[in-house]
Amino acid sequence: MANGKIIKVSGPLIVAEGLSHANMFDVVRVGQDKLIGEIIEMRGDRASIQVYEETAGIGYGDEVITTGAPLSVELAPGLIENIYDGIQRPLEKIREIAGSNINRGIDVKSVDREREWEFTPSVKVGDKVVSGDIIGTVPETVIVEHRVMVPHGISGEVCEINSGKYKVEDIICKIKTDAGEIKEVSMLQKWPVRVGRPYKEKMPPDVPMITGQRVIDTMFPIAKGGAAAVPGPFGSGKTVVQHQLAKWSDVDIVVYIGCGERGNEMTDVLREFPELRDPKTGESLMKRTVLIANTSDMPVAAREASIYTGITIAEYYRDMGYDVAVIADSTSRWAEALREMSGRLEEMPGEEGYPAYLSSRLAQFYERAGRIYAVCGGERRGSLTAIGAVSPPGGDISEPVAQATLRIVKVFWGLDSSLAYRRHFPAINWLNSYSLYLDRLSGWFDENVSREFMRNRSEAMNLLQLEAELQEIVKLVGIDALSNDDRMTLEAAQIVREDFLQQNAFSDTDSYTPLAKQARLMQLILRYYELGKGAIANGAELRDVFEMSAREKLGRAKDVSNETFMKDYDEIEALMESEIAKLSSKEVQ
């Protein structure tokens, strides 16, 4: 360890000299209270340090001690169900120790050292293992099996392996390396947060992450291992969309990062997630969730760490072979922390005061997403999907954070406050959102859903764009100026908007829609449009087509049970065809 002395304090930034032996990104302890900080700039023996706690009372000449190690997370059984702050301190444990007033400089281990875990080995003495190989499993929760892996940099022959109940620091395995050294392995590993965990190979993102949200899965799908942005103004439903994704996405693990969010929003997450049921297992959603809570009243510098802490934990589970989703709410608050620290470092500002390296920092976060083959002796696949909310001031997505994010991610779910005020959920605007994964995913949809799925999706999008053009005409000259064909188009587009894209997050049947049901419902709506246009061409009255009983049933079709929808939709289609046939024959007579 090396000691230095503080020569300057500027909010969360302090400058200390006498740290010539320290390195960039080393963790330091500051002042009498041993506040946690991280070196972010070195000039000779002078270090600029961002402090992750309140710096009031720190003064000139106070001591700074470097630990000689970078900011790292502890990786072991016990991460799932835990609630951490931005630098991986367990908040529930801190409350037990300090009560409601959290003392500065409190030092609590991230992973419980006293809890015992039932370890079951999956290798035996004499087996050859390499970095990343699974040597045993631990039932971390009723849903998640924790796979204990050989730490990076170790390979050789297993010369001792134990089974039974162990604490995370206990030695469970000994490996004899090719050089003849004996390496002891416990269930606890550490990994620096700013360094992405290695992988063998990245695979193309050609498998969708199914969310059960129709506007996402059908219109703007995201691939497993992809990256998406959810920009939107205050009140447009970013947090609710992210809750839905955390609840329904077909991933194994969810890491939810509240980065600089309002305290009441994080409180909602902390209250709701334990009560929500995981649809696949019926257990509490917390049994597969890691929460990182960094609220807006916590020190600004800790926001930056929270993003890296969350994605490093996610990579650890990805390496076990799990599909993981990282949901960051919101990266705008993280960028504000970068802007604050950049200003205090007196760096040349970029656009709107953000640092010139804003885009590269965002890219470093999102590029850690991907579907990969993990580093190990065999073939093990995992994926990490990154979804970041962006909160542009006033909903203006031309500001630097939103623009930098859009240049990196391939899915844009643009939230619209006018839709939110009309109680349209999810308030994703179908005219300016997009997904660049459509071409890659079309083969999967053809094979696993239906050959018509992508064609129907394109037809529905075409209807919505036609509606936007026709609405401009209606505003100018009124609806009576439109032809019957155009009015039929408006009616079909309204069904797509209100009865397909709109969902009820509080309804048991409508909160989640299986992909097969989405495909069949879209097919049914387009069939109504096709039959209606045919009937009008044969002279049927527009009002009769709009007032059919099948049209009313179509409006309620999304509420049909997810188990019986095929039979119910077949009945609606049969009724629709018979009613249209009657209308056409009546006109012919």
Side-chain angles (χ1 to χ4, degrees):
M1 289 190 180
N3 294 3
K5 298 289 182 189
I6 294 175
I7 58 171
K8 176 184 173 184
V9 179
S10 174
L13 176 76
I14 66 166
V15 179
E17 63 182 11
L19 292 169
S20 56
H21 298 293
N23 297 308
M24 277 286 286
F25 301 123
D26 274 4
V27 172
V28 297
R29 291 289 184 166
V30 179
Q32 289 182 330
D33 290 332
K34 301 282 189 287
L35 307 185
I36 299 173
E38 183 185 20
I39 295 174
I40 55 172
E41 187 179 82
M42 290 290 297
R43 292 185 182 177
D45 73 338
R46 187 171 288 192
S48 297
I49 299 161
Q50 62 177 354
V51 182
Y52 292 129
E53 299 180 78
E54 179 57 55
T55 56
I58 298 289
Y60 183 87
D62 282 356
E63 189 176 49
V64 174
I65 303 167
T66 175
T67 61
L71 183 67
S72 302
V73 288
E74 294 189 342
L75 304 169
L79 294 173
I80 304 285
E81 291 190 273
N82 231 320
I83 301 162
Y84 293 108
D85 73 354
I87 47 178
Q88 212 202 4
R89 293 183 300 186
L91 293 176
E92 290 191 43
K93 202 76 175 172
I94 290 174
R95 188 181 63 179
E96 286 172 23
I97 296 167
S100 56
N101 295 319
I102 299 176
N103 303 323
R104 291 191 306 164
I106 192 164
D107 189 11
V108 183
K109 298 292 186 188
S110 304
V111 176
D112 191 341
R113 298 298 200 268
E114 299 307 313
R115 183 172 175 183
E116 291 189 329
W117 299 92
E118 187 67 47
F119 176 74
T120 306
S122 50
V123 294
K124 58 186 184 301
V125 173
D127 284 357
K128 294 276 188 185
V129 292
V130 298
S131 298
D133 278 353
I134 294 166
I135 55 172
T137 58
V138 168
E140 187 167 1
T141 68
V142 291
I143 301 174
V144 178
E145 175 190 76
H146 193 104
R147 297 158 188 170
V148 181
M149 296 176 286
V150 177
H152 286 283
I154 297 177
S155 62
E157 185 180 306
V158 176
C159 57
E160 185 183 316
I161 185 86
N162 303 311
S163 66
K165 293 202 167 186
Y166 292 95
K167 297 173 183 174
V168 292
E169 289 184 306
D170 293 342
I171 303 304
I172 52 167
C173 178
K174 290 182 181 176
I175 297 170
K176 186 177 183 180
T177 66
D178 296 338
E181 284 183 85
I182 301 293
K183 296 282 188 181
E184 296 180 330
V185 178
S186 70
M187 288 187 271
L188 177 67
Q189 296 185 21
K190 286 193 174 183
W191 193 269
V193 297
R194 293 178 185 275
V195 179
R197 285 175 66 89
Y199 50 83
K200 269 187 196 171
E201 181 191 341
K202 257 190 183 176
M203 293 181 280
D206 52 13
V207 176
M209 184 177 89
I210 308 303
T211 66
Q213 311 306 299
R214 294 187 289 267
V215 67
I216 292 175
D217 292 347
T218 299
M219 297 301 189
F220 313 109
I222 180 171
K224 280 184 179 171
V230 193
F234 174 77
S236 58
K238 290 187 296 294
T239 304
V240 188
V241 166
Q242 292 189 311
H243 286 200
Q244 286 293 94
L245 295 174
K247 182 179 180 184
W248 297 112
S249 297
D250 65 337
V251 293
D252 305 305
I253 314 277
V254 174
V255 179
Y256 190 98
I257 309 166
C259 176
E261 278 305 294
R262 297 166 189 81
N264 60 329
E265 288 192 7
M266 279 314 298
T267 305
D268 283 348
V269 174
L270 299 178
R271 280 184 179 160
E272 281 179 26
F273 273 40
E275 292 175 13
L276 290 173
R277 296 288 116 192
D278 177 24
K280 293 192 282 290
T281 60
E283 297 288 338
S284 164
L285 196 60
M286 281 302 290
K287 300 283 183 193
R288 64 179 180 101
T289 305
V290 182
L291 285 178
I292 294 170
N294 176 267
T295 57
S296 51
D297 64 338
M298 291 180 177
V300 162
R303 293 182 189 176
E304 192 197 6
S306 66
I307 291 282
Y308 292 116
T309 298
I311 202 151
T312 307
I313 291 171
E315 285 177 334
Y316 177 59
Y317 283 99
R318 174 207 70 186
D319 289 351
M320 291 183 200
Y322 288 119
D323 292 320
V324 188
V326 171
I327 295 174
D329 188 10
S330 87
T331 53
S332 294
R333 311 269 184 272
W334 174 58
E336 284 167 14
L338 287 179
R339 179 166 62 181
E340 164 126 357
M341 294 311 296
S342 175
R344 292 186 186 276
L345 286 167
E346 299 175 8
E347 294 172 338
M348 182 67 75
E351 195 180 348
E352 290 188 25
Y354 287 102
Y357 48 78
L358 171 67
S359 291
S360 63
R361 288 287 177 89
L362 280 166
Q364 282 168 17
F365 169 68
Y366 284 109
E367 75 178 6
R368 287 169 76 168
R371 270 179 82 223
I372 57 104
Y373 284 110
V375 172
C376 64
E379 274 198 6
R380 190 163 70 241
R381 300 181 185 189
S383 73
L384 195 166
T385 308
I387 300 162
V390 185
S391 313
D396 175 21
I397 63 164
S398 65
E399 60 89 45
V401 182
Q403 286 302 306
T405 305
L406 292 184
R407 282 196 292 272
I408 298 157
V409 302
K410 294 194 171 180
V411 178
F412 169 64
W413 297 319
L415 294 172
D416 190 324
S417 54
S418 65
L419 284 175
Y421 295 146
R422 297 201 316 248
R423 297 292 183 268
H424 181 112
F425 174 84
I428 294 173
N429 188 313
W430 47 88
L431 295 176
N432 61 17
S433 299
Y434 61 80
S435 169
L436 300 181
Y437 293 117
L438 279 169
D439 288 342
R440 280 198 179 275
L441 296 175
S442 59
W444 189 93
F445 284 124
D446 287 349
E447 197 174 314
N448 295 276
V449 185
S450 76
R451 290 275 172 194
E452 292 80 40
F453 183 81
M454 293 306 287
R455 184 168 54 78
N456 289 346
R457 182 241 170 231
S458 299
E459 198 174 330
M461 279 302 297
N462 191 40
L463 268 177
L464 293 167
Q465 281 158 353
L466 272 173
E467 181 198 34
E469 292 165 15
L470 291 171
Q471 288 291 6
E472 293 298 317
I473 297 169
V474 169
K475 284 176 192 170
L476 288 172
V477 293
I479 198 163
D480 293 333
L482 295 182
S483 67
N484 283 352
D485 250 16
D486 286 343
R487 290 179 69 175
M488 185 67 214
T489 299
L490 284 181
E491 179 74 3
Q494 183 185 345
I495 299 171
V496 173
R497 273 192 295 108
E498 295 178 1
D499 304 327
F500 187 83
L501 299 183
Q502 191 172 343
Q503 275 177 264
N504 183 350
F506 300 104
S507 160
D508 289 340
T509 52
D510 197 31
S511 182
Y512 174 86
T513 308
L515 205 50
K517 184 178 177 183
Q518 294 183 38
R520 185 71 180 96
L521 179 56
M522 178 62 77
Q523 193 181 24
L524 204 58
I525 294 168
L526 294 175
R527 181 68 177 143
Y528 169 73
Y529 177 52
E530 181 193 336
L531 289 171
K533 282 186 81 170
I536 290 164
N538 287 335
E541 287 288 331
L542 201 61
R543 190 181 62 192
D544 291 341
V545 175
F546 291 174
E547 291 177 1
M548 297 188 309
S549 59
R551 164 68 184 89
E552 187 188 338
K553 286 182 184 293
L554 186 57
R556 293 200 297 264
K558 62 183 179 182
D559 294 315
V560 163
S561 162
N562 291 340
E563 281 73 45
T564 63
F565 73 87
M566 270 301 187
K567 180 171 77 71
D568 295 327
Y569 286 1
D570 287 346
E571 287 172 5
I572 293 172
E573 186 168 11
L575 177 64
M576 191 192 298
E577 287 178 348
S578 70
E579 288 189 315
I580 289 285
K582 282 177 189 172
L583 286 176
S584 297
S585 62
K586 186 168 73 177
E587 293 309 320
V588 168
Q589 290 168 12

